[in-house]
Amino acid sequence: MERESMEFDVVVVGGGPSGLSAAIKLRQLSMEAGLDLSVCVLEKGSEVGAHILSGNVFETHALDELIPDWKEKGAPLNTPVKSEKFYFMTEHSEMRFPNFLLPGQLHNHGNYIISLGNLCRWLAEQAEELGVEVYPGFAAAEVLYHEDGSVKGVATGDMGIGRDGQPKPTHEPGMELHAKYTLFAEGVRGSLTKTLFEKFDLRKDCDPQSFGIGIKEIWDLDPSKHHEGQIFHTFGWPLDTSTYGGSFVYHLENNQAYVGFVVALDYTNPYLSPYDEFQKFKSHPMMREMLEGGKRVAYGARAINEGGFQSIPELVFPGGAVIGCSAGFLNVPKIKGTHTAMKSGMMAAEAAFNALKENHEAPVKVLSEYPELYENSWVYKELHTVRNSKPAFRWGLLAGTLYTGLSLKLFRGKEPWTFEVHDDHTQLKKASECKPIEYPKYDGVVSFDKPSSVFLSATNHEEDQPVHLTLKDDSVPVSVNYKDYAGPEQRFCPAGVYEFLTDDDGSNPRLQINAQNCVHCKTCDIKDPTQNINWVVPEGAGGPNYPNM
């Protein structure tokens, strides 16, 4: 069946903070100039915010610029940070760092504890009021090109395709969305953005991107243990000194707390399980005391960018641009990327508007103004200042901590060198070189198994559809990953998607993919040592349905 098409001036792929900020800025500028630009936002989640997961202690810098009267308009920023603590953890105790010793980048005065999903829902409302067309439940599955090779737009995936690849009676072809400019705001490790990197060689002049996996739970706490506006971060136990990561605990309103853990995906031991490190962390005496008597009510996971300044790719290509976490603007020591993602979308929008204002019918193909705006922005300055913090931890916890302190407090990021960033998937050692890790059993009080966690993510996929976790070579999971690395996918996935099954005698290993469990974190696409797993979008509206992550 032939696909229908729709024409827009600008199509934004992804209804996260960068994509919605770009759409809002475009309409603001066009209304001010009396130029009626048509703008569309495609979102693969069942609703805007359904796939959004973040810490999140929010810095308002970009929001202040985009919507100065956000307070009057009811933005869901309800809990200002009132106190903050930073701990180094050992198995049975903790040591607090005095706040005055922490670099300014780590201070959170003036920030807010928020649900980024709820902020995106509010931003979508603001966008629609300005005339943006927002389409949730439609996954952009294909990049479309003009004959000259420039990007023409995107096509949404077909609905009603069976697991065997054949159309079902409910089949509906996807829709083509054509635009003068297409902005890709898919978030970390976007499946279409990845193809653009390859087609236009956008990463030729930057370091590889590196990543972490963030796992998060929402807890209803015993009111006597809740301290609204309090936040704390930890590092150290249960991770070893060669693995970068740590926790965050944020007390928001309504006696709730966000409890999360981040593990850098450049870890070397294939027996490490980020999910189980998180569950183990919650057994620490300080955490157990806080959580006991409470109830876990939500769960989710998402990869985050950790490459920073030196991993930012070329941002533009003929017919469009890459914005937000698709490009990788996270400030790692700050543990914040929403404000920089939003600003990147606003800068791309400004460049697109100026090009369309100059020549609406035949604008320039490449938005060269966008990278120029970035290089002269506070985003560039902020990321440049912290560029060496995360790479310094390749020398271990102590050296990395000391260097980061010196860099941010003494040098203020002005050291005349820049450390390199490496690919995460190349760092995994063979299982024969590593010691297996024994994790404690889940107690059902503060630690829980993966099935019960996935249940709390409200993840749902149409079962009779092609598996969206595709393999380039079906033999590699057993012949390489299982044989050489002890099947790391069964441990780096936080949702129980990958299982290695054997016969009763342990022979005949085979990989089973439980695609319906996938929470769209993208960790498998990143950490697979053979890069054999290729994550593609399932049917629109599939995946997690996070209520207020």
Side-chain angles (χ1 to χ4, degrees):
M1 297 175 65
E2 188 172 336
R3 296 187 295 205
E4 296 182 8
S5 65
M6 300 172 67
E7 301 285 338
F8 296 92
D9 289 309
V10 178
V11 167
V12 180
V13 181
S18 66
L20 291 166
S21 296
I24 290 169
K25 187 67 175 177
L26 272 162
R27 287 297 300 165
Q28 288 174 337
L29 292 169
S30 64
M31 291 170 71
E32 290 170 6
L35 179 63
D36 189 21
L37 299 182
S38 57
V39 183
C40 165
V41 175
L42 279 181
E43 167 53 42
K44 66 183 175 68
S46 60
E47 62 171 349
V48 171
H51 289 179
I52 297 293
L53 183 146
S54 180
N56 181 299
V57 171
F58 180 67
E59 184 176 315
T60 64
H61 195 164
L63 183 60
D64 293 336
E65 294 181 10
L66 182 66
I67 307 175
D69 58 344
W70 55 264
K71 285 185 180 180
E72 292 75 15
K73 290 186 174 180
L77 279 64
N78 305 317
T79 309
V81 173
K82 297 177 181 177
S83 66
E84 56 185 318
K85 301 176 182 178
F86 200 85
Y87 293 101
F88 174 74
M89 309 290 273
T90 62
E91 185 172 359
H92 301 295
S93 64
E94 66 282 340
M95 180 183 74
R96 182 182 173 187
F97 278 73
N99 285 4
F100 73 85
L101 289 179
L102 300 176
Q105 295 273 355
L106 274 62
H107 292 179
N108 285 283
H109 177 74
N111 296 334
Y112 292 81
I113 303 168
I114 70 163
S115 158
L116 186 57
N118 288 340
L119 178 62
C120 287
R121 292 180 177 96
W122 180 82
L123 287 172
E125 292 173 1
Q126 308 310 303
E128 289 181 318
E129 287 178 7
L130 291 169
V132 176
E133 296 184 42
V134 181
Y135 296 121
F138 292 91
E142 178 187 355
V143 180
L144 304 175
Y145 296 95
H146 290 288
E147 289 185 3
D148 65 1
S150 62
V151 170
K152 182 180 183 180
V154 293
T156 63
D158 287 5
M159 305 290 280
I161 299 293
R163 184 167 287 242
D164 59 1
Q166 298 302 310
K168 299 185 291 188
T170 56
H171 175 247
E172 293 182 15
M175 174 78 72
E176 293 192 1
L177 292 96
H178 303 163
K180 296 180 177 70
Y181 297 116
T182 306
L183 306 182
F184 289 83
E186 297 179 285
V188 177
R189 197 73 166 195
S191 53
L192 296 186
T193 305
K194 195 168 69 167
T195 67
L196 294 170
F197 287 162
E198 294 175 2
K199 179 175 178 62
F200 294 109
D201 202 13
L202 300 180
R203 304 203 64 88
K204 65 180 182 299
D205 295 323
C206 68
D207 285 354
Q209 185 59 264
S210 67
F211 303 87
I213 177 174
I215 306 173
K216 178 181 174 182
E217 297 174 346
I218 303 178
W219 281 74
D220 288 336
L221 297 182
D222 178 335
S224 67
K225 300 177 181 180
H226 182 259
H227 307 282
E228 184 172 318
Q230 181 187 89
I231 69 173
F232 66 83
H233 299 93
T234 76
F235 71 111
W237 187 89
L239 297 175
D240 61 43
T241 58
S242 64
T243 303
Y244 183 83
S247 79
F248 59 88
V249 178
Y250 305 150
H251 290 245
L252 60 156
E253 63 268 27
N254 301 322
N255 294 317
Q256 287 194 321
Y258 295 144
V259 182
F261 203 81
V262 177
V263 178
L265 290 177
D266 59 355
Y267 66 82
T268 60
N269 188 339
Y271 293 107
L272 188 146
S273 163
Y275 177 89
D276 289 298
E277 295 290 337
F278 177 38
Q279 301 307 311
K280 186 177 180 180
F281 162 74
K282 290 182 293 173
S283 71
H284 188 278
M286 182 177 77
M287 293 302 301
R288 183 175 289 277
E289 194 281 329
M290 185 188 82
L291 297 176
E292 285 185 341
K295 180 183 179 182
R296 187 179 70 145
V297 296
Y299 168 86
R302 187 69 170 97
I304 63 174
N305 294 300
E306 292 188 343
F309 176 81
Q310 47 270 63
S311 297
I312 301 292
E314 191 172 335
L315 297 172
V316 293
F317 49 84
V322 182
I323 62 177
C325 287
S326 284
F329 292 103
L330 182 84
N331 181 324
V332 178
K334 243 186 194 182
I335 328 173
K336 291 177 181 59
T338 304
H339 64 303
T340 50
M342 291 176 68
K343 181 62 175 178
S344 73
M346 293 157 62
M347 291 185 289
E350 184 177 343
F353 168 76
N354 287 337
L356 290 165
K357 182 181 178 182
E358 182 72 23
N359 189 335
H360 184 256
E361 296 307 315
V364 294
K365 288 288 186 180
V366 178
L367 292 172
S368 56
E369 186 185 5
Y370 169 34
E372 292 172 3
L373 289 169
Y374 161 63
E375 290 171 9
N376 289 284
S377 72
W378 53 260
V379 177
Y380 183 97
K381 181 179 179 181
E382 182 176 316
L383 295 183
H384 184 267
T385 299
V386 302
R387 69 194 182 283
N388 287 326
S389 295
K390 167 60 170 59
F393 280 84
R394 72 184 65 176
W395 302 316
L397 181 62
L398 178 60
T401 302
L402 290 173
Y403 182 87
T404 296
L406 286 171
S407 175
L408 298 184
K409 286 188 75 72
L410 183 62
F411 301 138
R412 301 187 183 277
K414 295 179 181 178
E415 54 266 45
W417 55 79
T418 297
F419 299 145
E420 291 184 353
V421 176
H422 48 63
D423 275 312
D424 293 325
H425 72 272
T426 64
Q427 302 305 301
L428 212 57
K429 294 180 179 178
K430 299 287 182 68
S432 59
E433 303 173 35
C434 300
K435 183 179 179 180
I437 301 174
E438 294 294 329
Y439 290 103
K441 292 183 178 179
Y442 311 118
D443 62 14
V445 179
V446 299
S447 61
F448 307 90
D449 61 17
K450 287 182 181 178
S452 66
S453 297
V454 174
F455 176 78
L456 289 179
S457 71
T459 294
N460 182 60
H461 294 90
E462 165 61 48
E463 289 199 26
D464 187 16
Q465 65 171 307
V467 173
H468 67 281
L469 303 147
T470 65
L471 301 176
K472 298 174 185 175
D473 184 335
D474 290 346
S475 69
V476 164
V478 171
S479 65
V480 180
N481 287 14
Y482 187 81
K483 177 185 176 184
D484 294 341
Y485 300 97
E489 47 268 73
Q490 61 193 325
R491 287 177 287 276
F492 59 56
C493 173
V497 170
Y498 301 95
E499 287 185 275
F500 281 96
L501 308 177
T502 62
D503 293 343
D504 292 340
D505 62 359
S507 63
N508 190 29
R510 54 203 178 274
L511 178 66
Q512 177 172 292
I513 299 178
N514 305 309
Q516 67 274 17
N517 286 6
C518 179
V519 295
H520 296 204
C521 74
K522 310 292 184 69
T523 304
C524 58
D525 195 280
I526 296 164
K527 188 59 177 174
D528 178 14
T530 53
Q531 292 294 280
N532 187 52
I533 298 171
N534 184 40
W535 195 102
V536 299
V537 290
E539 279 192 4
N545 287 278
Y546 297 135
N548 56 337
M549 283 291 198

